[in-house]
Amino acid sequence: MEKFSVQQGSIADLDLLTRHRLMMWEDIYPEKKESIEATENITRDWIRKKILNNELTSFIVRDSNGSITGSGCILIKEDQPRPTSSRLDYPYLLSMYTEKNYRRRGVGSLIVNEAIEWSMKHGFDRIVLHASKDGRPLYVKFGFRETNEMKLEFV
């Protein structure tokens, strides 16, 4: 069985996190490759700002040789008061990406597990995400359930 390790990332991982976020979008919307590539600078700036403001925590997975196999992030989002929670913020799991040659080998599970543990350790009562069609089985395995959200796009 191959050994992987997961560590918390830092601002030094900015280029990696930017690349993985863009590659995640390219996997979801391959027909929008050009549009996705055009967001590289704004994506890098956004990630940098969120890391420096302590609003984004990243998790980097490496194999036993030190090669990067995947990453994912927790974004702390502001919430409104609600009767089901005493918190006014919550962790949002995003930018999940596994390098193609490491898929279906447990990399995503390591990141999700680490994100759950991090969230619980920091006193949060839930973790939220939007899953791609391909990603849903991973999250269901951890007990995530689909909730109802509606959206109106002005395009």
Side-chain angles (χ1 to χ4, degrees):
M1 182 88 176
E2 189 163 13
K3 286 271 211 177
F4 297 105
S5 63
V6 60
Q7 297 175 329
Q8 198 166 316
S10 70
I11 194 69
D13 299 302
L14 179 60
D15 287 340
L16 166 75
L17 297 171
T18 301
R19 183 173 64 85
H20 275 187
R21 182 159 176 83
L22 296 177
M23 292 172 76
M24 174 203 70
W25 285 121
E26 286 181 20
D27 280 354
I28 296 169
Y29 300 111
E31 73 282 2
K32 296 184 178 188
K33 185 174 174 56
E34 196 173 296
S35 297
I36 292 165
E37 288 174 353
T39 67
E40 182 174 357
N41 290 335
I42 194 168
T43 298
R44 180 178 286 104
D45 291 345
W46 180 82
I47 293 171
R48 178 187 298 111
K49 177 183 170 190
K50 294 301 181 184
I51 290 172
L52 294 175
N53 288 338
N54 293 316
E55 297 173 83
L56 188 127
T57 299
S58 61
F59 307 102
I60 313 293
V61 180
R62 290 181 170 80
D63 67 12
S64 56
N65 296 319
S67 296
I68 293 171
T69 63
S71 67
C73 300
I74 289 280
L75 174 66
I76 303 304
K77 295 182 90 171
E78 185 178 16
D79 201 3
Q80 68 271 5
R82 61 180 67 234
T84 57
S85 177
S86 61
R87 301 271 324 222
L88 294 177
D89 57 2
Y90 65 95
Y92 183 85
L93 183 60
L94 60 102
S95 297
M96 291 286 294
Y97 185 78
T98 301
E99 297 285 345
K100 289 189 183 347
N101 54 332
Y102 289 97
R103 292 185 179 170
R104 308 267 186 259
R105 293 162 67 181
V107 172
S109 291
L110 279 173
I111 297 167
V112 173
N113 190 63
E114 193 73 17
I116 291 169
E117 287 182 11
W118 184 94
S119 298
M120 291 172 64
K121 178 181 162 191
H122 287 84
F124 291 103
D125 56 6
R126 70 191 183 281
I127 187 170
V128 178
L129 60 87
H130 282 96
S132 68
K133 185 180 130 200
D134 291 340
R136 280 191 185 100
L138 168 65
Y139 305 115
V140 168
K141 179 175 84 171
F142 280 90
F144 284 81
R145 61 181 175 74
E146 289 189 44
T147 57
N148 194 17
E149 182 176 272
M150 297 177 69
K151 175 171 60 172
L152 174 63
E153 292 184 355
F154 303 115
V155 181

